[in-house]
């Protein structure tokens, strides 16, 4: 790895809050890498003979899908929270629920039903936690560094998918799957403590700032309505005595916010379709290796390893995409990904399809950081947690639904035709997205940000408070403000401009 490859990430590593959080984020990512094997292996051990496949599927679903329900059911209470609070609460819930699994094992009460239930609880806040992490990025860094920060967080996960499974295999053989789950729980406990220690002072400042803004907005409305009693009905801290609990940021659903912005709605549809069309690969790929190639499990592992290595390299390269049009970049990623999957669908030999699958991993990695950067630019930091949680709730369903489709499709048409159909469909989806990105729309001139610009969007040195002021965050000429970093002007009061594309 050359210093030039790390150049876009230097401002991210120089941000004091993020720098202190990164060890906890890396630790929890490794725990998730261990869980890729441990979750299914423990389900196989606990399930009754003859029902192992069913309970393993339940365990995998429970570790991901309840987050979609959590987004819908808990939005009223969590939507107005800061990024640090959401991420910290998610880490705490995951640590507690996963930690209860080895405790139940020691107590002799752990069965497969309780195991699946605890996995479901552990994933309940996951979309909110992910939204919180990327909201914190938007709060701490200027726009020009969002993509690099998003990519750096993604690199942890990509590296964990390479290191975690073989390490989990060794640990399972040594101490058992239940204690690998305990290690995963401990990793989230480390992350929860990291958020608590690093962000405590910042949270106090953020709450004070939000209360002040709420007071200002309410007082302005009262003045317009001639309600002078409301203007003066405040305590010594400046808060309204009769203010309802939770007053402050709007509690509008993230789905409604996305629905009012054509650009975000199109992005959500593109992401869902992209992930959905990739879902059948999880079924068709193993069948293709065994039935069409007549190869072993080692060959299948080689494909997944090649994809993981390509993803890790692609994640490191993502930071260098800064300054490129985000919508065009996303469309290009989808097109290239579909093209890279074509050799598998066309029945190319392993010597050709294996490098192509590694290339697919390379172009897959930048998609999520780039999509998140577009959400960060088009949503104000107040709305961003709800918007990202809604996006996570939809996308977390996309791959499982596509995988469910892959079973009947593979049985009806065969593995290779299913792979080819998915590759062609993804390629066509990317071309449609490219045409849409090239066509100017009502909001095409302003894709940087449509909400009011906050302090974190101003170019130049970024500080978050007295304790987080390390001096200027610039590290060289490449970090100087660029023309596209200037916050866009806003001519309407809404954070999201209806009808923008």
């Amino acid at each position: 790895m050359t210093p030039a490859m790390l150049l876009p990430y230097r401002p991210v590593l120089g941000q004091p809050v993020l720098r202190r959080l990164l060890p906890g984020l890396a630790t929890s990512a490794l725990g998730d890498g261990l869980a890729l094997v441990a979750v299914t292996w423990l389900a196989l051990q606990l399930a009754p003979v003859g029902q192992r496949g069913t309970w393993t599927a339940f365990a995998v679903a429970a570790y991901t899908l309840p987050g979609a329900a959590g987004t819908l059911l808990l939005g009223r209470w969590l939507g107005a929270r800061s990024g640090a609070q959401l991420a910290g609460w998610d880490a705490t819930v995951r640590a507690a629920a996963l930690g209860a699994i080895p405790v139940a094992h020691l107590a002799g009460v752990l069965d497969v039903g309780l195991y699946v239930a605890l996995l479901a609880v552990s994933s309940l806040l996951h979309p909110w936690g992910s939204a919180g992490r990327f909201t914190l990025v938007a709060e701490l860094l200027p726009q020009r560094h969002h993509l690099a920060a998003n990519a750096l967080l993604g690199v942890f996960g990509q590296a964990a998918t390479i290191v975690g499974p073989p390490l989990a295999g060794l640990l399972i053989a040594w101490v058992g799957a239940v204690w690998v789950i305990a290690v995963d729980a401990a990793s989230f406990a480390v992350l929860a403590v990291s958020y608590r220690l690093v962000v405590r002072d910042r949270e106090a400042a953020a709450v004070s700032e939000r209360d002040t803004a709420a007071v200002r907005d309410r007082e302005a409305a009262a003045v317009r309505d001639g309600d002078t009693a409301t203007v003066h009905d405040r305590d010594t801290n400046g808060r309204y005595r009769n203010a309802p609990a939770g007053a402050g940021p709007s509690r509008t659903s993230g789905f409604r916010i996305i629905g009012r912005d054509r650009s975000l709605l199109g992005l959500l549809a593109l992401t869902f379709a992209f992930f959905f069309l990739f879902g059948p690969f999880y079924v068709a790929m193993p069948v293709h290796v065994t039935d069409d190639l007549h190869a072993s499990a080692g060959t299948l592992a080689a494909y997944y390893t090649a994809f993981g290595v390509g993803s890790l390299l692609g994640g490191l390269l993502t930071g260098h995409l800064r300054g490129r049009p985000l919508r065009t970049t996303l469309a290009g990623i989808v097109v290239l990904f579909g093209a890279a999957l074509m050799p598998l669908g066309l029945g190319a030999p392993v010597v050709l399809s294996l490098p192509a699958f590694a290339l697919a991993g390379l172009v897959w990695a930048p998609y999520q950081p780039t999509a998140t950067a577009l959400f960060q630019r088009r949503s104000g930091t107040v709305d961003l947690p709800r918007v990202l949680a809604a996006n996570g709730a939809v996308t977390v369903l996309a791959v499982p639904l596509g995988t469910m489709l892959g079973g009947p499709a593979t049985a009806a048409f065969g593995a290779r035709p299913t792979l080819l159909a998915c590759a062609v469909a993804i390629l066509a989806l990317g071309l449609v997205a490219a045409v849409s990105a090239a066509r100017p729309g009502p909001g095409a001139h302003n894709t940087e940000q449509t909400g009011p610009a906050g302090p974190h969007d101003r170019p130049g040195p970024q500080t978050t408070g007295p304790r987080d002021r390390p001096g200027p965050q610039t590290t060289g000429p490449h970090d100087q403000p660029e023309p596209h970093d200037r916050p866009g002007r806003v001519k309407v009061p809404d954070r999201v401009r209806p009808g923008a594309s």
Side-chain angles (χ1 to χ4, degrees), residues 168-257:
L170 295 174
L171 292 175
I172 289 172
W174 182 30
V175 296
V178 68
W179 298 112
V180 178
I181 297 291
V183 173
D184 189 21
S187 73
F188 280 106
V190 170
L191 181 60
V193 171
S194 298
Y195 276 113
R196 178 63 180 169
L197 294 178
V198 172
V199 192
R200 179 175 50 196
D201 294 338
R202 195 172 184 280
E203 282 301 300
V207 170
S208 176
E209 183 179 347
R210 287 197 300 270
D211 287 342
T212 302
V215 167
R216 244 188 344 257
D217 292 345
R218 184 172 177 180
E219 188 170 283
V223 169
R224 287 195 302 269
D225 297 339
D227 184 4
T228 57
T230 296
V231 175
H232 299 290
D233 188 20
R234 292 187 290 174
D235 59 22
T236 56
N237 293 322
R239 298 182 182 180
Y240 288 102
R241 296 187 179 92
N242 59 344
S250 167
R251 296 184 182 273
T252 304
S253 163
F255 294 104
R256 293 181 181 178
I257 297 172

Side-chain angles (χ1 to χ4, degrees), residues 149-160:
N150 298 343
L152 185 60
L153 297 185
V155 164
F156 290 148
Q158 290 145 5

Side-chain angles (χ1 to χ4, degrees), residues 42 106 214 220 288 292 426:
L42 186 55
L106 290 175
H288 172 64
D292 298 335
I426 291 172

